[in-house]
Amino acid sequence: MCANVDAVMVLFRPLSLCCALATPALALRFSGAGVVPWLALLLFGAAVVAASFVLAWAAEAAQVDISGGLAIALLALIAVLPEYVVDLYFAYTAGQNPEFVAYAAANMTGSNRLLLGLGWSTVVLVSLAVASRRSGRTVRELVLDPGHRTELGFLAIASVVAFVVPVSGQITLVFGLALLGFFGFYLWKVSRAEAEEPALVGPASVIGALPSRTRRPLVAGLFAFAAVVILLCAEPFAHALIDTGTQLGVDRFLLVQWLAPLASEAPEFIVAILFALRGNGSAAIGTLISSKVNQWTLLVGSLPLAYLVGGGSGTLVLDARQVEEFLLTATQTLLGVSALLALRFPRWAAWTLLALFALQFALPGQEARYALCAVYGAIALAALVRNRRHIAPTLLAPFRSAPARELIRV
């Protein structure tokens, strides 16, 4: 009995702290009170961070009852919800105001490049630093769990198919529905793996040790709490960031393409970095791969549907600038997938993705964007040649029985 009380206290303290951090932001959101941008940024940012911790604990504990792949997929789906809210709003509004087509495409391409160029790179470099410190020697590459080949296979197929958009200059409703169906197949596939007993620590271990009749509704409640807080707070967090940038004289298009996605991508970045800091780099990058699958299928596929519901034709036609942005995003994704085909993320790949991501800000303009596409494509081709024996297994992985996988250990 005493042990149960101690366990409850171990769980109560962090959860109550997260609730306390989220409460001021929720009160501000529901009251509609106006505050200065920096204060809104602080309050809503704290709520997003708190919700990200809750989301990580829920995803870890969920592995007691469901497969690790499905737990990661659910985590990634909830973490990217703010991005969907913002981007689908732009696509819906574009149905009456064509000006918003550019914003919808800019927000989508910006969030995708941010996730891979900054997110993947940062998580890998943090994971390698943690592994080097723990082992006492330099670790030069992050080795992924073999089970992640399934997610990588889905992303590889979606990455190849994505080139249809810059080639055609549009996202059609039929193409969007096909991507949505592919995402549904992805969820079904990762749910097929058997659940195993994970190694949990901290609040997640307390939740995982609870009786199933208590654990399951609690995990579901934590997922719901995190989703609600993220949905309610991430958008005003993005607006506060944009308002702050506007006051500083930053161009609105750049704010929509980069600062808004930075705010909406915050939950998944935080969760992935938490995994990396605790020595589980495989789960960290696996979470971001799943997020990329979400964005490259569910998000892109939903845009023409939202455009149609908003009064558009059902075919989202991109202008020349957005075709360039989409092509740049597609070639960057191809490089990320190519570098990971061997399920090893080397340090050079992380630094290369980060450097090329930063380079686009130093070299704006049409010619620079096409030049970067060529650089991404050339390095991707070299990586494909080097990892050529892993191409077929990766592309076939989504259609094969999933191998046993090591579950998240945080």
Side-chain angles (χ1 to χ4, degrees):
M1 182 67 178
C2 183
N4 290 335
V5 173
D6 291 340
V8 170
M9 289 305 297
V10 169
L11 182 60
F12 176 77
R13 292 189 188 100
L15 288 180
S16 59
L17 176 60
C18 289
C19 289
L21 288 172
T23 299
L26 294 175
L28 180 61
R29 180 64 191 266
F30 286 120
S31 68
V35 296
V36 293
W38 69 264
L39 181 57
L41 195 64
L42 178 63
L43 294 178
F44 288 117
V48 168
V49 171
S52 300
F53 273 90
V54 174
L55 182 58
W57 297 330
E60 294 172 78
Q63 293 172 90
V64 175
D65 300 299
I66 63 177
S67 72
L70 182 57
I72 286 179
L74 291 175
L75 182 156
L77 181 59
I78 293 174
V80 298
L81 280 177
E83 180 59 36
Y84 294 167
V85 171
V86 174
D87 215 2
L88 293 182
Y89 164 76
F90 285 139
Y92 175 84
T93 306
Q96 294 90 31
N97 186 350
E99 177 186 351
F100 277 76
V101 173
Y103 289 150
N107 193 259
M108 182 272 295
T109 55
S111 63
N112 268 273
R113 295 216 296 278
L114 189 71
L115 175 63
L116 199 151
L118 182 63
W120 285 27
S121 302
T122 302
V123 163
V124 170
L125 293 174
V126 170
S127 298
L128 294 179
V130 170
S132 297
R133 187 179 69 248
R134 291 186 174 184
S135 64
R137 58 183 179 82
T138 301
V139 179
R140 299 187 180 278
E141 61 182 15
L142 174 64
V143 180
L144 273 67
D145 186 300
H148 288 309
R149 189 172 295 282
T150 300
E151 289 98 326
L152 188 62
F154 276 98
L155 180 56
I157 294 171
S159 300
V160 173
V161 171
F163 281 94
V164 169
V165 176
V167 169
S168 65
Q170 59 186 12
I171 308 176
T172 65
L173 183 60
V174 173
F175 182 73
L177 292 176
L179 289 178
L180 295 178
F182 192 58
F183 175 74
F185 175 53
Y186 164 68
L187 286 183
W188 176 81
K189 180 67 177 181
V190 296
S191 70
R192 300 278 291 175
E194 294 184 2
E196 300 178 27
E197 190 68 28
L200 305 173
V201 296
S205 67
V206 178
I207 299 171
L210 294 172
S212 60
R213 64 180 181 276
T214 304
R215 180 183 63 251
R216 291 171 182 172
L218 177 59
V219 168
L222 293 178
F223 269 128
F225 171 80
V228 168
V229 173
I230 288 171
L231 276 174
L232 290 175
C233 296
E235 185 179 356
F237 180 42
H239 285 309
L241 199 57
I242 289 176
D243 290 341
T244 303
T246 301
Q247 290 180 352
L248 297 174
V250 182
D251 180 71
R252 181 173 176 80
F253 184 87
L254 294 178
L255 291 172
V256 169
Q257 187 172 30
W258 298 116
L259 283 187
L262 182 62
S264 58
E265 298 283 355
E268 57 196 306
F269 282 3
I270 294 169
V271 170
I273 289 175
L274 282 176
F275 289 155
L277 288 173
R278 295 182 183 179
N280 197 347
S282 180
I285 198 66
T287 299
L288 295 186
I289 291 173
S290 186
S291 294
K292 185 68 174 176
V293 173
N294 272 267
Q295 291 191 349
W296 222 217
T297 56
L298 182 59
L299 178 57
V300 176
S302 298
L303 292 180
L305 187 60
Y307 183 60
L308 177 65
V309 172
S313 64
T315 297
L316 202 64
V317 180
L318 307 180
D319 61 23
R321 169 68 184 274
Q322 295 313 314
V323 169
E324 297 163 17
E325 296 284 354
F326 207 103
L327 180 62
L328 184 57
T329 307
T331 53
Q332 182 207 45
T333 306
L334 184 62
L335 172 56
V337 171
S338 302
L340 269 178
L341 284 174
L343 294 182
R344 294 175 178 273
F345 206 132
R347 186 189 301 273
W348 70 260
W351 280 116
T352 299
L353 286 171
L354 187 59
L356 290 176
F357 175 76
L359 190 61
Q360 67 186 323
F361 298 103
L363 300 173
Q366 183 185 68
E367 293 183 359
R369 282 190 286 273
Y370 280 126
L372 279 175
C373 288
V375 172
Y376 276 124
I379 301 175
L381 180 60
L384 285 171
V385 172
R386 180 177 181 178
N387 297 323
R388 57 189 177 277
R389 67 188 182 90
H390 301 289
I391 296 176
T394 300
L395 293 176
L396 293 174
F399 311 102
R400 291 176 171 170
S401 298
R405 66 187 296 155
E406 179 186 342
L407 297 177
I408 299 178
R409 294 182 180 180
V410 181

